[in-house]
Amino acid sequence: MADDTAEKSSSPEEKEKKIVDPEFLSCLLQPPSADSDPNYIGIRRLLLYKKVNSGVDRRKDWKCNGRGYVAYRNYFCRPRNWESLHIPSGPSTPGQSGRWVPSPSPLSILFEVDSWGSSRDLRGGNVAHSHRTSFSSSMSDTDRPLRKVEPAYSFVGMHCIFDNCKASVTVLKFGHMSSDLLAYGASDGTLTVCSVSQSPSIIKHMSGHSKDVTDFDFSSNNQYIASTSMDKTVRIWEISKGNCIRVIYGVSSQLCIRFHPVNNNFLSVGNGNREITVINFSTGRIINKAMFENEVTAMDHDHTGQLIFCGDAQGCIYTVNMDSHTGALSRSHRNRSSVKRKSPITTVQYRTFSLLARGPVLLTCTQDGSLSFFSVALEIQGYLTLRCSLKLAPRVHSIRASFCPLLSLEKGEFIVAGSEDSNVYFYDLTRPRHTCVNKLQGHGSPVIGIAWNNGENLLASSDSDGTVIVWKRAKAS
């Protein structure tokens, strides 16, 4: 009778503790010791103990983690294959905010997920923290539903951060065929060359331009950088010494520049005087020029160097023939913008092969947020045919975009671009509905520049506050 009274007086919490006590259940479920091997009994008891603990922790989580409603709903509305959809999560890092944010799916409808905070306030030094820096997320690991991600566009976090620049970083690039040499130019006229190897460091900090650096390019041997600026000059820098070895003066803002891919003695420069000039790298003299209707704001060469693709301030794309021996230029095609409101071209990027177009392609991005994807007919002097386009939110800054060449050889046609909302977005042009497949969060201001390294395992992005983040892509299994 006394036992019955004690049983009735015990609280529900005490009853639950008795029912789910791991020691009690593991002892209850283990086989009789007389019939089994002692080693087997011990292993079985340990496994049963862990299994019971897992269930207890999960129930406690949606009761006591401060996010009761969300966890409660997620737990009871979970699909039948909930366990198989989980992937193990390592220690939280600043860069894990870019681990996955795929396009809407049935799972994303079932589960409510909070956005992860920016890591802007974590930075403190010139060459900031590696991917081992700890970071406390606003969500617990068990509260956050983890989903399997296609390895093509998943990231494991931040590799390193550079925040030595106090002005907007307008353009950044990795060295030619390089996986760890990175340079970036800023609106204060400075150029910074750094290494993003296992111990990231700044190699050279070069000053000379008096206004914004608008563009730059590495020579094929990565010994020189040629840069353009709003101060109307083109400067040639020797990276090993960090010195400017030549200054070429113009009459208008110099807006874009490229080394000839075959003959590095030629520099092609687009300027605000509505022309492309060909400059002899050795002498600094202008040897040829071609005139256009508007300012030439972006350009790129094809792989042979015989074609230049350039965009102007009114959204038009031009194909220009170039003689690799003499530097002579001649216009061949013009692709008129179909948009009524004309906007400057911020990105022109050529790619040798695309599975989607079964040949060479060209990517263009305008300041008003239009991405265009063209197939290139090399046999017709680089004639462009629009294959698809994507309209993004209008931008105030001259935000750039880039192909994802190696990713696109696996599956889809991936484009990565910065955004005014401080995120880096990945788009798959083969998806007609949910084009956005991922976003990386970590910047504290509009993301302007984007660049891949040679192996495409590192992605660099820059923002208007002067921060450069190098993201590390997950290895495909």
Side-chain angles (χ1 to χ4, degrees):
M1 188 69 179
D3 292 341
D4 294 341
T5 306
E7 184 70 26
K8 291 178 182 178
S9 62
S10 61
S11 64
E13 289 78 8
E14 291 176 350
K15 287 182 179 179
E16 182 181 2
K17 187 175 180 181
K18 289 180 181 178
I19 294 171
V20 299
D21 180 57
E23 290 286 356
F24 174 74
L25 284 180
S26 58
C27 291
L28 185 66
L29 295 174
Q30 73 181 35
S33 57
D35 302 334
S36 303
D37 179 64
N39 292 331
Y40 169 76
I41 293 174
I43 294 172
R44 179 181 172 87
R45 183 171 178 178
L46 177 64
L47 294 175
L48 288 169
Y49 180 87
K50 287 186 175 180
K51 185 173 183 180
V52 173
N53 260 335
S54 174
V56 172
D57 291 342
R58 182 172 293 176
R59 286 192 292 274
K60 283 182 179 179
D61 180 67
W62 59 258
K63 283 183 179 179
C64 311
N65 66 355
R67 295 178 175 273
Y69 170 73
V70 175
Y72 179 90
R73 190 187 66 178
N74 289 352
Y75 182 77
F76 283 101
C77 297
R78 66 191 188 280
R80 291 183 179 179
N81 60 341
W82 164 260
E83 296 291 347
S84 65
L85 292 171
H86 275 68
I87 57 175
S89 59
S92 296
T93 65
Q96 279 184 335
S97 56
R99 189 171 183 179
W100 53 264
V101 186
S103 57
S105 65
L107 262 179
S108 63
I109 296 171
L110 280 173
F111 297 97
E112 178 179 324
V113 185
D114 290 358
S115 62
W116 296 23
S118 168
S119 63
R120 176 70 178 171
D121 56 340
L122 299 176
R123 297 187 290 274
N126 285 345
V127 181
H129 332 287
S130 70
H131 59 282
R132 296 183 181 87
T133 306
S134 63
F135 175 64
S136 60
S137 169
S138 60
M139 300 178 66
S140 64
D141 285 341
T142 48
D143 191 23
R144 183 185 310 119
L146 298 177
R147 287 163 280 183
K148 286 186 177 179
V149 185
E150 294 181 48
Y153 46 80
S154 61
F155 282 75
V156 294
M158 293 179 185
H159 176 67
C160 61
I161 302 174
F162 297 93
D163 61 355
N164 62 295
C165 191
K166 304 306 177 187
S168 174
V169 175
T170 53
V171 58
L172 78 167
K173 291 181 182 179
F174 279 92
H176 181 69
M177 301 296 289
S178 173
S179 57
D180 61 355
L181 182 65
L182 176 68
Y184 50 90
S187 58
D188 60 0
T190 60
L191 274 166
T192 304
V193 182
C194 51
S195 170
V196 296
S197 56
Q198 291 302 320
S199 54
S201 61
I202 293 175
I203 300 172
K204 295 293 178 183
H205 185 75
M206 302 180 293
S207 301
H209 287 295
S210 60
K211 292 184 179 180
D212 305 39
V213 174
T214 54
D215 199 8
F216 69 86
D217 199 21
F218 282 92
S219 61
S220 59
N221 57 10
N222 291 329
Q223 293 182 7
Y224 302 97
I225 284 180
S227 62
T228 56
S229 172
M230 297 295 287
D231 65 5
K232 305 179 183 180
T233 66
V234 174
R235 289 179 179 262
I236 311 297
W237 309 84
E238 189 174 0
I239 297 176
S240 59
K241 298 179 180 178
N243 296 332
C244 177
I245 60 175
R246 182 167 293 110
V247 182
I248 303 162
Y249 294 91
V251 297
S252 62
S253 300
Q254 308 297 305
L255 303 176
C256 51
I257 190 166
R258 289 292 180 275
F259 273 98
H260 192 282
V262 177
N263 184 354
N264 257 201
N265 200 40
F266 287 156
L267 281 168
S268 305
V269 183
N271 59 42
N273 200 32
R274 301 180 299 172
E275 58 189 14
I276 289 179
T277 58
V278 178
I279 298 174
N280 186 302
F281 176 81
S282 303
T283 64
R285 294 181 178 274
I286 296 176
I287 56 177
N288 273 299
K289 64 174 62 178
M291 294 296 298
F292 299 86
E293 283 77 15
N294 296 282
E295 298 175 350
V296 180
T297 55
M299 67 162 58
D300 200 11
H301 278 279
D302 76 327
H303 62 289
T304 66
Q306 296 177 2
L307 296 173
I308 297 176
F309 302 96
C310 60
D312 68 13
Q314 294 295 314
C316 291
I317 310 296
Y318 300 89
T319 305
V320 182
N321 290 304
M322 181 175 182
D323 191 304
S324 301
H325 301 288
T326 64
L329 301 174
S330 60
R331 281 174 50 181
S332 57
H333 302 291
R334 176 188 179 188
N335 187 285
R336 296 177 181 271
S337 175
S338 59
V339 183
K340 292 182 179 180
R341 185 179 177 182
K342 309 302 180 184
S343 181
I345 301 288
T346 62
T347 300
V348 173
Q349 193 176 84
Y350 174 85
R351 187 168 142 220
T352 308
F353 180 77
S354 163
L355 286 173
L356 184 62
R358 298 294 176 181
V361 288
L362 191 75
L363 171 70
T364 66
C365 179
T366 60
Q367 191 169 332
D368 67 354
S370 296
L371 285 173
S372 299
F373 183 81
F374 299 90
S375 60
V376 182
L378 296 178
E379 64 277 7
I380 320 177
Q381 297 182 323
Y383 183 80
L384 302 178
T385 304
L386 182 65
R387 299 299 298 266
C388 57
S389 60
L390 181 63
K391 188 67 176 72
L392 308 177
R395 288 97 189 276
V396 176
H397 300 80
S398 296
I399 292 177
R400 302 170 191 260
S402 174
F403 280 120
C404 305
L406 298 183
L407 303 189
S408 301
L409 291 178
E410 298 176 9
K411 181 181 180 181
E413 187 62 54
F414 295 98
I415 306 296
V416 58
S419 175
E420 298 281 353
D421 64 2
S422 308
N423 297 323
V424 178
Y425 286 92
F426 287 80
Y427 302 98
D428 184 358
L429 299 181
T430 62
R431 298 191 179 195
R433 289 187 177 181
H434 305 302
T435 312
C436 180
V437 293
N438 193 15
K439 70 176 177 180
L440 306 181
Q441 298 172 302
H443 287 279
S445 59
V447 180
I448 298 175
I450 289 290
W452 286 103
N453 72 341
N454 181 51
E456 212 167 298
N457 63 312
L458 296 177
L459 174 70
S461 57
S462 64
D463 64 32
S464 59
D465 282 347
T467 303
V468 173
I469 298 179
V470 180
W471 308 87
K472 191 172 184 179
R473 188 164 70 91
K475 291 182 179 179
S477 58

